[in-house]
Amino acid sequence: MNNIVSISIDGKEIKALKGENLVNVARDNGFHIPTLCYFKKLFPLATCRICTVNINGKNTTACTTKVDDGMEVKVNTDELLENRKAIIEMLFAEGNHFCPSCEKSGNCEMQNLGYIMGITHTRYPHLYREKPVDFTPHRMLMNSNRCILCKRCVEEIKTKDGKRVFSFVKRGNRTTVQIDYNEERKLTDNEAIHAMQICPVGAILVKGVSEGKPFGERKYDFLNKAIRPKLKRKKFELKEGEKFVVGTTSLAGCFGCHMSLLDIDEELLDMIEIVEFNKSPLTDIKRFSKRCHVGLIEGGCANEENVHVLRYFRENCDVLIAFGECAIMGGIPAMRNFVPLKETLEEAYLNGVTTVLGADVIPASEDIPKLLDKVYPINEVVDVDYYIPGCPPNAQHIWKVVKSILLNEEIPISHEEFKYD
Amino acid sequence: MKIYHNPQRKQLMSVIWEIQRKKRCVSHDDITKIAKLFDLSRMEVEGVVTFYHFFHRQHAGNFTIYLNDSIVGKHAGMEEIKKVFEKELGIKTGHVTEDKMFGLFETSCIGLSDMEPACLINFKPFVNLTPEKVRYIIRALRDGSKVSEIYDVPKSKIRYTPGERTVFFNGYERYSALKYLEKQPGDLIDLIKLSKLSGRGGAYFPTGLKWEFARKNKADKKYLVCNADEGEPGTFKDRVLIQEKPELLIEGMILAGYAIGASEGYIYLRGEYMYLKDNLEKVIGNYRDKGYLGENIAGKNFNFDIQVHMGAGAYVCGEETALIHSMEGKRGEPGTKEYFPVEKGFLGKPTVVNNVETLCAVTKILDMGVENWLKLGTEKTPGTKIFSVSGDCKNPGIYEIEWGMKVNELLELAGADNPGYILHNGYAGECLNPLDFERPISGEGVVPANVSVKNPGDYKQKMSGIGVKSGGAFMIFNSGRSILEIIKNVQQFFVNESCGVCVPCRVGNFLLNIKLNKILNENTTKKDLEELIHWSKIIKSNSRCGLGITSSNALMDTYNKFPGVFEKLVSGNNHQNGKLDLKKATREYEKIITEIYSDYE
Ligand SMILES: Cc1cc2nc3c(=O)[nH]c(=O)nc-3n(C[C@H](O)[C@H](O)[C@H](O)COP(=O)(O)O)c2cc1C
Ligand code: SF4
Ligand code: SF4
Ligand code: SF4
């Protein structure tokens, strides 16, 4: 029996088998240590670092720790929780994660961690670095925009004669995963699908095979866990007979977010009881006639007019909310960030399939707003107070956030309402 | 090219080196052939080749030139030297001339900080460069001179030793410490434990204890590795020890190998020190001839031999687990820390990794007697320590000092007239403020990291007895130097050298660098500074290896000890609308439109 040791996790005394993996011991005792690269107990990869816990005063990854007598483990201190969030945010900033157009969305482990941690946006500037998408392999394709370099595929996928199919190439921030074309051919169909499935994100895809499940049936669509957004609430005082004032606008967006805004059906009537719209495409008011309590911004900044409008909103709204992926991270318009501006213009006006034969003019005039060098998420242009993710964001999510800000109440958002796609 | 039969994976790097040296690049076809030879997938070999800075996938020039890009080199005039190279060769740095004769590259510190500006050409050093000298070198090479005919053998500048209390740099009669092979291994370990010798690679792990762990772990084979990767910018003491005192190193290795029960020893020599390899191997050969390496050494049942493994340009390979991976012919990524090397190291066997200076100290401690060694230095850190001094001082070079010397005294010896900022442990350590100059250089008193200077008087008093410990780099900067320029160079170094395997260091350092550049070049708010520090802490507390853990030390310490430096950048404009420079963001569009419309006309 001397194989049983005592440890404590966040103050709770626990008995465990000496040498057991800490992630598993914690899980069996009701403590969830989030993991991302962790995959096989025998082979901790320790690349993502989000399972970092504090053991006897020192930070270490739980996935590489074997429990031993007297360990004092801290899992959920404010600092550790904050660090985990920051690491996921780093990954969102480093890669090019356009969840609305990703095959893995809904089945993606990183996205799910984002949901669980209530991440609405990344604190870091998006890097928008061009990354290869390799279609050459026989059966698979490798989309480095989404690869988080967790190393699972590198360590796990080998041919029958023991050769690696995936390898890290280059180093530091230029590291990518590359497929060995010859070895890849040797994999069976099932082995290829296995590779796709162990990839925690949507980087490895098998041609012609999709995990395609409809919304609602995907792996992480329901977790029955409500998200409690941290809102910086100010108490708004209204005078007798006054309503809350809301402004909205669509910058480089598709108006989808505005459509969603109207999607609360008859609740809209209750809403109108307490809210009036000022400057907004819904009212067609062009200039603010009053100060707004809340401003809702759809779309990122693609041109100088977007910047002027956004600043105008910031000046006239107490609380500014980015709603929708385009406002939060650039979204579809930001896909041009990987292409030189000149090429973008030429594609749009001269060479693209939708231009007329012989088109030879890129229009320019003082009346056409100048394009920015890239599409900016709005928080890189002005300070933003809150973010509502989704493409489009769920209508309930939008109104719950707005209501909770206006009425100063905490309104939990359910997992189904909190989505990046 | 040598013919290899059934080569072992651990030979992979030397095969790649051979091709790189011969052909100046490792081509697609070469990689295919290497993969076949080692029975590996092609892409895995590609992964190894592309990890190391000195392996090139494109032709790197018959004369491959590497300029040192550390701040000490810059201060010594490297920018101008670079321009002269570029002008004479007609190429920008990072490129190769059309005739493939010259390739010009930058690289992290090459271990010649006391002779900057310096460069390597085909891995031979050229030091104290001046524009004239550069022109001469290029002319000579163009006219057919060989690099080996015109390079500078770096002259060791041993500037100070503490008289008769000198340990490393005084006389030593070859083989005399080897009489300790008569003792039992356990007794030898006890002696080293008694001496309180701790690791001079910078981590200060007690050497005797490390040996004991390795000795106790049962295995059919054990290894001893000497870490001669010396990648910390500003450090060059190991180079001087290998040049001047190779016998101390070899004998230290024999004794260590004997103590832990190792049968093979390796010296992991950084690629930048290739020019030291031949002599080192010659000395090893001498020991072999004398019967001190090989089988049944000193008439005992002790078999041990030493070989040199060449690194290929990766600072992170100085980290012991990365170093072991590199020796195994893999990418030099640090391990997961599930096991210590003394449990599972090289090829899965118990392995001791020790720094050059640590091993040299072993020889001298035994030779002079532990009791004499303990008379030197301080209680916790007995003996002496070798410092590599560089930067703004009259006498850059090597200083062997007794632990306990005051920072001020070292500055005086070095001839620093106006020191204002010191990186006392290379880029990975903290920095010193003039208020620290009266502190002793020692391991006495715990050093609470990141103490801020709020009130100079209080700070000085509080820190007065607290030792300053360092791996050996001591870079001095005058008061007039821009601290921000130094910090910028430090952070860029870590971005370049991160191995990329873990998120906080790979992504975090990159983002931190973006933030730093924003702070230096654009509208800075107080929030930017808070983020800079917060992001640093996140990297520090979550990274896998020492590189990420220490990468923001200098930055955070500067923030704490030199509050004005960053604060004066805050423009006070905390305007929530002031984040984007609209003029800058539309400049490209304007340029394109102007160009197009002038084309149409
Ligand atoms: C990023 C990094 C770089 C390192 N570089 C070196 C080095 O160049 N030389 C060295 O001896 N130790 C270096 N170390 C320390 C080694 O990991 C290890 O602690 C040391 O070689 C052990 O030898 P010692 O106990 O004799 O000091 C480095 C550590 C890190 C984290
Ligand atoms: S679903 Fe996952 S992999 Fe796909 S874009 Fe979103 S976060 Fe990235
Ligand atoms: S491709 Fe997928 S499994 Fe492989 S390293 Fe990238 S994220 Fe991980
Ligand atoms: S901390 Fe940096 S160098 Fe160390 S393992 Fe992580 S990425 Fe590599």
Side-chain angles (χ1 to χ4, degrees):
Chain A
M1 279 309 277
N2 58 0
N3 269 347
I4 303 285
V5 294
S6 307
I7 65 167
S8 78
I9 300 183
D10 285 347
K12 185 178 161 194
E13 292 298 321
I14 284 169
K15 298 254 181 277
L17 218 54
K18 187 182 161 105
E20 272 287 289
N21 185 290
L22 179 57
V23 173
N24 298 343
V25 171
R27 201 161 282 173
D28 295 344
N29 286 281
F31 290 92
H32 175 68
I33 303 178
T35 56
L36 184 53
C37 66
Y38 183 64
F39 174 55
K40 268 190 172 173
K41 181 169 126 188
L42 296 175
F43 217 120
L45 301 164
T47 55
C48 77
R49 321 299 296 170
I50 70 159
C51 69
T52 299
V53 294
N54 188 290
I55 301 178
N56 302 336
K58 219 177 145 236
N59 278 7
T60 357
T61 41
C63 72
T64 54
T65 302
K66 302 181 192 68
V67 297
D68 205 347
D69 207 33
M71 272 186 178
E72 268 182 43
V73 185
K74 293 199 187 98
V75 177
N76 290 318
T77 65
D78 285 350
E79 193 194 334
L80 290 169
L81 289 168
E82 180 64 18
N83 287 350
R84 281 179 205 132
K85 256 176 110 165
I87 293 172
I88 299 289
E89 291 173 23
M90 282 182 192
L91 287 170
F92 274 110
E94 179 191 38
N96 300 307
H97 294 275
F98 296 93
C99 292
S101 64
C102 177
E103 291 84 344
K104 195 88 170 193
S105 195
N107 297 310
C108 170
E109 293 177 37
M110 174 155 102
Q111 189 189 53
N112 183 47
L113 280 172
Y115 294 162
I116 291 174
M117 296 179 187
I119 293 174
T120 55
H121 72 292
T122 163
R123 72 192 71 185
Y124 301 105
H126 284 275
L127 298 179
Y128 299 119
R129 287 195 297 171
E130 195 181 356
K131 304 210 171 180
V133 182
D134 187 359
F135 294 92
T136 325
H138 175 56
R139 231 196 260 95
M140 300 185 193
L141 66 94
M142 176 77 213
N143 188 340
S144 296
N145 290 297
R146 302 171 187 157
C147 171
I148 54 170
L149 298 170
C150 72
K151 229 178 179 192
R152 281 187 187 180
C153 59
V154 176
E155 296 296 344
E156 172 74 5
I157 308 294
K158 299 206 177 126
T159 59
K160 297 228 160 39
D161 51 354
K163 292 194 189 150
R164 283 176 204 263
V165 178
F166 299 85
S167 296
F168 273 13
V169 168
K170 302 199 179 139
R171 82 168 181 219
N173 63 68
R174 287 158 60 242
T175 312
T176 55
V177 168
Q178 287 193 19
I179 296 181
D180 187 294
Y181 304 145
N182 282 330
E183 306 305 329
E184 188 256 353
R185 280 184 170 269
K186 295 186 200 156
L187 294 181
T188 63
D189 286 347
N190 280 342
E191 284 169 334
I193 290 174
H194 179 58
M196 172 167 84
Q197 283 167 346
I198 64 162
C199 179
V201 289
I204 301 174
L205 299 174
V206 176
K207 294 174 186 169
V209 180
S210 87
E211 288 180 86
K213 285 208 180 124
F215 260 60
E217 289 175 29
R218 302 173 305 179
K219 204 165 164 192
Y220 301 116
D221 276 341
F222 293 101
L223 284 176
N224 297 324
K225 195 173 173 290
I227 288 130
R228 289 172 197 282
K230 283 211 181 87
L231 301 175
K232 266 189 272 165
R233 272 182 305 246
K234 278 186 210 157
K235 185 122 174 100
F236 292 126
E237 306 283 351
L238 287 188
K239 287 205 197 90
E240 193 53 35
E242 268 185 358
K243 290 184 182 179
F244 293 109
V245 189
V246 173
T248 77
T249 189
S250 175
L251 306 173
C254 70
F255 269 94
C257 300
H258 272 77
M259 292 296 155
S260 189
L261 190 68
L262 301 175
D263 216 14
I264 46 169
D265 306 329
E266 67 275 9
E267 265 184 70
L268 207 50
L269 299 173
D270 301 340
M271 190 47 98
I272 289 302
E273 293 287 306
I274 57 164
V275 165
E276 66 170 84
F277 285 94
N278 199 270
K279 176 171 163 52
S280 163
L282 305 174
T283 56
D284 214 21
I285 297 175
K286 304 281 192 232
R287 309 287 301 169
F288 286 104
S289 57
K290 287 185 184 169
R291 191 162 176 82
C292 291
H293 295 99
V294 166
L296 284 164
I297 312 287
E298 166 188 331
C301 289
N303 63 33
E304 58 174 346
E305 195 230 350
N306 296 153
V307 175
H308 292 312
V309 173
L310 179 59
R311 287 179 176 166
Y312 186 46
F313 265 78
R314 179 70 271 183
E315 278 156 18
N316 287 282
C317 301
D318 290 341
V319 176
L320 200 68
I321 302 176
F323 77 132
E325 291 302 313
C326 299
I328 294 174
M329 54 77 73
I332 307 292
M335 285 185 170
R336 83 148 152 103
N337 291 1
F338 311 105
V339 183
L341 185 58
K342 188 161 183 203
E343 227 174 277
T344 310
L345 286 164
E346 286 169 349
E347 183 69 16
Y349 294 110
L350 307 180
N351 308 329
V353 283
T354 54
T355 57
V356 293
L357 189 65
D360 61 357
V361 180
I362 293 175
S365 121
E366 275 173 17
D367 302 331
I368 301 177
K370 291 177 196 153
L371 286 186
L372 307 183
D373 53 348
K374 64 175 192 196
V375 176
Y376 291 84
I378 66 168
N379 67 347
E380 291 184 26
V381 179
V382 299
D383 283 347
V384 173
D385 301 302
Y386 194 72
Y387 304 80
I388 304 174
C391 181
N394 177 290
Q396 290 297 339
H397 188 171
I398 303 171
W399 284 114
K400 282 181 180 176
V401 169
V402 172
K403 259 199 296 197
S404 79
I405 291 172
L406 294 177
L407 305 174
N408 197 24
E409 289 171 8
E410 187 175 286
I411 308 177
I413 316 266
S414 76
H415 196 108
E416 302 105 276
E417 292 160 356
F418 190 99
K419 286 276 143 58
Y420 301 157
D421 61 3
Chain B
M1 169 122 191
K2 258 193 277 179
I3 312 281
Y4 291 87
H5 293 290
N6 293 327
Q8 290 170 296
R9 174 86 187 246
K10 64 175 184 180
Q11 290 166 293
L12 182 63
M13 266 181 84
S14 58
V15 171
I16 301 174
W17 252 128
E18 212 170 311
I19 296 170
Q20 173 67 42
R21 291 183 64 174
K22 208 158 275 166
K23 299 170 60 174
R24 303 293 191 270
C25 80
V26 187
S27 69
H28 186 96
D29 290 347
D30 292 328
I31 291 180
T32 310
K33 286 180 207 157
I34 299 171
K36 199 149 175 235
L37 182 69
F38 285 89
D39 200 25
L40 293 168
S41 87
R42 205 196 150 275
M43 206 51 88
E44 183 163 6
V45 178
E46 181 94 42
V48 176
V49 172
T50 53
F51 185 87
Y52 298 95
H53 192 63
F54 296 148
F55 295 152
H56 292 255
R57 288 287 278 103
Q58 310 293 328
H59 200 283
N62 290 337
F63 298 108
T64 315
I65 306 168
Y66 292 103
L67 309 178
N68 169 19
D69 71 0
S70 83
I71 189 69
V72 169
K74 290 224 156 74
H75 283 167
M78 188 52 99
E79 282 308 315
E80 194 193 349
I81 296 299
K82 187 163 112 183
K83 282 201 193 102
V84 177
F85 268 113
E86 290 182 339
K87 182 153 176 275
E88 292 297 312
L89 299 175
I91 49 172
K92 285 265 164 231
T93 310
H95 292 82
V96 178
T97 54
E98 221 158 89
D99 59 1
K100 299 211 164 101
M101 190 155 174
F102 294 96
L104 183 62
F105 304 92
E106 276 184 311
T107 194
S108 302
C109 183
I110 57 178
L112 294 164
S113 300
D114 54 344
M115 310 173 194
E116 290 292 342
C119 73
L120 297 171
I121 303 182
N122 290 356
F123 297 97
K124 293 270 193 296
F126 290 81
V127 302
N128 297 323
L129 297 173
T130 57
E132 299 74 56
K133 185 164 173 181
V134 171
R135 285 186 206 106
Y136 161 78
I137 294 167
I138 293 175
R139 207 176 324 117
L141 292 176
R142 279 204 174 118
D143 291 347
S145 297
K146 291 205 173 90
V147 176
S148 54
E149 293 161 1
I150 58 169
Y151 81 103
D152 305 315
V153 184
K155 273 235 289 300
S156 304
K157 299 186 199 165
I158 299 162
R159 302 285 193 176
Y160 173 83
T161 52
E164 47 190 47
R165 303 171 81 84
T166 307
V167 174
F168 295 92
F169 296 108
N170 65 5
Y172 174 70
E173 197 181 323
R174 263 192 197 202
Y175 318 118
S176 67
L178 292 177
K179 63 178 178 285
Y180 278 84
L181 291 172
E182 295 302 316
K183 295 231 177 228
Q184 290 301 315
D187 297 338
L188 212 55
I189 292 178
D190 286 342
L191 282 176
I192 296 303
K193 278 167 91 175
L194 197 65
S195 77
K196 300 187 196 164
L197 177 65
S198 56
R200 300 306 171 82
Y204 284 92
F205 190 85
T207 307
L209 199 60
K210 192 188 269 189
W211 291 10
E212 187 169 78
F213 288 144
R215 167 135 211 104
K216 282 192 177 147
N217 286 324
K218 299 251 172 309
D220 54 349
K221 228 173 155 99
K222 292 177 191 174
Y223 298 99
L224 172 77
V225 179
C226 165
N227 188 342
D229 196 49
E230 193 157 64
E232 193 60 58
T235 317
F236 47 86
K237 62 177 179 85
D238 294 346
R239 160 177 56 87
V240 173
L241 281 170
I242 293 170
Q243 267 179 301
E244 303 299 322
K245 300 280 170 189
E247 63 277 5
L248 296 186
L249 173 60
I250 306 299
E251 291 181 32
M253 287 185 74
I254 296 170
L255 291 160
Y258 174 69
I260 63 173
S263 55
E264 281 177 44
Y266 289 85
I267 299 175
Y268 188 101
L269 186 64
R270 68 189 306 222
E272 291 84 341
Y273 290 170
M274 183 107 69
Y275 54 91
L276 302 177
K277 182 170 180 248
D278 286 347
N279 187 52
L280 193 55
E281 283 181 337
K282 201 171 103 206
V283 178
I284 294 171
N286 292 341
Y287 277 85
R288 207 174 282 134
D289 294 343
K290 287 271 175 201
Y292 285 115
L293 289 172
E295 306 207 328
N296 299 324
I297 295 167
K300 301 199 126 199
N301 182 19
F302 169 47
N303 306 332
F304 184 74
D305 212 332
I306 299 177
Q307 42 182 303
V308 181
H309 177 102
M310 291 309 299
Y315 166 66
V316 70
C317 284
E319 198 278 346
E320 54 188 9
T321 56
L323 179 140
I324 287 169
H325 286 153
S326 178
M327 282 173 48
E328 290 171 343
K330 299 179 183 158
R331 292 164 61 80
E333 290 161 358
T336 59
K337 305 282 143 69
E338 214 186 343
Y339 299 97
F340 291 109
V342 290
E343 299 168 291
K344 284 189 186 176
F346 185 51
L347 305 174
K349 305 292 179 194
T351 303
V352 163
V353 180
N354 272 142
N355 173 255
V356 174
E357 187 185 341
T358 313
L359 290 162
C360 290
V362 166
T363 307
K364 287 300 295 208
I365 290 170
L366 294 176
D367 185 50
M368 70 196 284
V370 177
E371 64 291 349
N372 291 322
W373 161 265
L374 289 173
K375 283 181 200 145
L376 307 173
T378 68
E379 175 73 28
K380 290 206 174 95
T381 38
T384 63
K385 170 81 189 102
I386 306 177
F387 276 86
S388 318
V389 176
S390 64
D392 295 322
C393 60
K394 285 196 197 75
N395 315 310
I398 290 293
Y399 290 73
E400 176 177 347
I401 63 164
E402 218 180 319
W403 286 110
M405 179 187 267
K406 294 260 161 65
V407 174
N408 251 337
E409 293 171 64
L410 180 55
L411 285 169
E412 199 149 305
L413 289 172
D417 351 320
N418 186 16
Y421 182 89
I422 289 169
L423 287 174
H424 77 89
N425 196 3
Y427 283 11
E430 287 153 21
C431 64
L432 300 182
N433 179 301
L435 297 168
D436 294 310
F437 289 175
E438 273 160 44
R439 290 168 61 186
I441 300 174
S442 78
E444 302 305 318
V446 213
V447 187
N450 300 320
V451 179
S452 21
V453 178
K454 295 223 172 67
N455 175 329
D458 288 354
Y459 175 86
K460 200 166 168 183
Q461 201 187 1
K462 189 159 131 204
M463 302 299 281
S464 61
I466 292 176
V468 171
K469 207 154 79 167
S470 147
F474 196 85
M475 299 153 106
I476 306 170
F477 302 99
N478 271 350
S479 303
R481 297 283 188 198
S482 156
I483 293 178
L484 292 168
E485 189 196 357
I486 300 168
I487 288 294
K488 209 175 136 174
N489 188 275
V490 169
Q491 293 318 123
Q492 186 62 50
F493 168 80
F494 287 109
V495 172
N496 295 348
E497 296 297 336
S498 160
C499 84
V501 91
C502 75
V503 183
C505 168
R506 175 185 75 237
V507 192
N509 277 313
F510 193 77
L511 291 163
L512 188 70
N513 208 36
I514 291 179
K515 178 62 100 184
L516 183 66
N517 282 322
K518 177 180 180 281
I519 286 176
L520 297 183
N521 299 320
E522 289 166 34
N523 195 348
T524 302
T525 63
K526 208 148 174 74
K527 193 161 164 238
D528 285 321
L529 293 189
E530 282 160 19
E531 282 178 345
L532 190 75
I533 296 307
H534 186 204
W535 296 5
S536 300
K537 285 186 186 149
I538 293 169
I539 299 168
K540 187 176 182 62
S541 55
N542 292 279
S543 288
R544 180 192 277 194
C545 86
L547 190 147
I549 293 171
T550 58
S551 68
S552 48
N553 278 355
L555 172 68
M556 284 203 275
D557 214 35
T558 302
Y559 184 83
N560 288 324
K561 287 190 183 174
F562 295 83
V565 167
F566 282 101
E567 264 146 37
K568 76 164 187 265
L569 297 174
V570 175
S571 50
N573 178 2
N574 220 348
H575 185 41
Q576 51 194 12
N577 265 352
K579 287 179 152 182
L580 181 81
D581 183 345
L582 191 53
K583 273 224 173 67
K584 208 171 121 200
T586 51
R587 199 171 293 151
E588 199 185 337
Y589 177 81
E590 280 168 1
K591 198 171 138 233
I592 294 169
I593 295 298
T594 323
E595 260 170 31
I596 291 175
Y597 279 85
S598 50
D599 279 357
Y600 287 153
E601 275 149 24

